[in-house]
Amino acid sequence: MVNTISFEHPVPDHAPDLYQSFGDVDSIDGWEALPRAVQQYEADGFLVVRNAIPAELRDAALEELMQMARGVDANCSNVTFEGSFQSILEESGTPVAEMDEHLRQQSLESVDPAIRAAHVRKFMGFTRTHEQLKAVANYRPLRDAVELLAGEPPKLFQSMALIKPPGGREKPWHQDHAYFDLPLETRVCGVWIALGTVTEENGAMFMLRGGHRGGPIVHFRRRDWQICDTDMEGARPIALPMDAGDLVIFDAKIPHGTPTNRTQDQRWALQYHYVGVSAQKIPEEQRLAVFGPEGKDVSC
Ligand SMILES: O=C(O)CCC(=O)C(=O)O
């Protein structure tokens, strides 16, 4: 598979108080308690499940991701690097913007694999080519949980690995539904899985409890296509620190974001999105009429 290669735009750092946690998260331990937690999911818009993915499955997935990060050809649909990696590739004298995909791939080969791996931010579209990552997406208790919460058998429609490297930039506050051409009433479940320790310092997920019930919020192009910082004033978000194998299932209308990674370590996570098998797409214009026209041609 041919990867497209992209770079994050360098952006100013976020205000620290955008990611201040108010209170501790209620979670369940393992899948057994899930049926009793459905009401909590409906009310909060998310549910944290501890020890959700067995160690051998998550370790095999992490190893597969590490190999993708070290290799030249990750064999997925898109690889995104932190913006700071651009200047390393440009040492050959050619600006990245002027390189075609072939030249980008070639210039990646000239970089030390450890340096390349230390700047990867995101892989997308890998479940057809990577067995271990596919196995996590298809893990039966996870799919059963999504089926219960989405109300019908799920289909996976997006896969991402989110590796926030040391210094890796924020993913500003947003609603995932804003990025999907799906009717507003479609029950879209995101699943964000920690493959290592996740802390507020290295880029934990922050969520606005109950925020999905307020419906769609207009997004604007600021540091990203995002909810404006001013719309978050007075909000009381909560941080979701996790251990490897913990995850959060969330409604795609929940406002969420992750701060800059202030540590020297990479933060490894997987994110899958599912809808019910009967979900139908809508035209992009219909989505942009709700979430804002500046979202044309952006991806989450
Ligand atoms: O993992 C992250 O840092 C952000 C993930 C996220 O919210 C997204 O990609 O929609």
Side-chain angles (χ1 to χ4, degrees):
M1 193 187 290
V2 177
N3 317 302
T4 55
I5 300 167
S6 338
F7 301 87
E8 285 290 341
H9 300 291
V11 290
D13 204 2
H14 58 82
D17 59 0
L18 271 177
Y19 300 94
Q20 198 186 335
S21 185
F22 294 82
D24 294 323
V25 68
D26 290 329
S27 55
I28 59 171
D29 194 0
W31 295 105
E32 255 174 41
L34 183 78
R36 295 190 296 281
V38 173
Q39 261 187 325
Q40 184 184 332
Y41 175 81
E42 301 284 348
D44 291 352
F46 65 90
L47 180 69
V48 173
V49 185
R50 308 275 177 208
N51 300 302
I53 305 292
E56 60 282 12
L57 194 53
R58 67 162 209 251
D59 289 348
L62 180 60
E63 182 48 40
E64 203 163 51
L65 278 182
M66 286 176 164
Q67 276 176 21
M68 288 167 79
R70 281 192 299 261
V72 170
D73 180 0
N75 204 14
C76 62
S77 58
N78 175 267
V79 185
T80 305
F81 290 93
E82 281 294 324
S84 57
F85 189 54
Q86 256 179 252
S87 54
I88 297 174
L89 287 196
E90 287 172 349
E91 273 162 20
S92 64
T94 313
V96 153
E98 287 172 22
M99 293 181 192
D100 59 18
E101 288 301 335
H102 181 66
L103 202 57
R104 283 185 185 190
Q105 192 81 35
Q106 262 188 348
S107 59
L108 279 185
E109 283 168 33
S110 65
V111 178
D112 182 318
I115 296 183
R116 214 164 42 219
H119 289 84
V120 177
R121 181 178 174 91
K122 181 161 74 179
F123 295 117
M124 289 183 79
F126 41 66
T127 50
R128 289 211 187 104
T129 47
H130 292 80
E131 284 305 315
Q132 304 303 333
L133 300 174
K134 180 173 153 188
V136 177
N138 287 336
Y139 182 54
R140 180 47 60 196
L142 169 57
R143 289 194 81 111
D144 288 348
V146 174
E147 178 163 350
L148 181 69
L149 300 173
E152 59 174 326
K155 75 178 170 209
L156 176 73
F157 74 96
Q158 184 169 266
S159 59
M160 288 180 174
L162 299 153
I163 306 155
K164 215 189 264 273
R169 56 161 278 202
E170 162 204 28
K171 175 68 186 173
W173 286 92
H174 65 284
Q175 293 171 305
D176 285 353
H177 211 115
Y179 290 85
F180 302 145
D181 292 332
L182 291 164
L184 275 182
E185 60 282 6
T186 305
R187 292 178 76 100
V188 186
C189 279
V191 178
W192 192 95
I193 304 165
L195 294 180
T197 305
V198 173
T199 63
E200 290 185 40
E201 291 69 38
N202 74 6
M205 190 59 97
F206 278 68
M207 297 211 163
L208 191 59
R209 196 161 22 204
H212 63 307
R213 285 183 268 125
I217 303 173
V218 179
H219 287 45
F220 292 90
R221 277 197 201 237
R222 296 290 186 264
R223 295 182 299 289
D224 203 326
W225 190 52
Q226 62 171 97
I227 297 172
C228 281
D229 294 352
T230 45
D231 287 340
M232 293 304 297
E233 275 169 18
R236 294 173 61 81
I238 185 164
L240 313 183
M242 293 187 195
D243 291 324
D246 296 349
L247 59 76
V248 55
I249 308 182
F250 58 99
D251 181 308
K253 286 193 213 66
I254 193 87
H256 63 286
T258 65
T260 301
N261 181 353
R262 311 263 178 222
T263 72
Q264 293 308 309
D265 301 314
Q266 279 163 304
R267 188 225 61 190
W268 297 86
L270 281 171
Q271 181 170 263
Y272 297 109
H273 282 96
Y274 305 83
V275 276
V277 281
S278 70
Q280 299 291 325
K281 286 190 119 185
I282 54 165
E284 185 187 45
E285 301 72 55
Q286 215 170 309
R287 166 173 69 91
L288 299 179
V290 173
F291 286 101
E294 293 176 10
K296 191 158 180 51
D297 299 328
V298 298
S299 71
C300 81

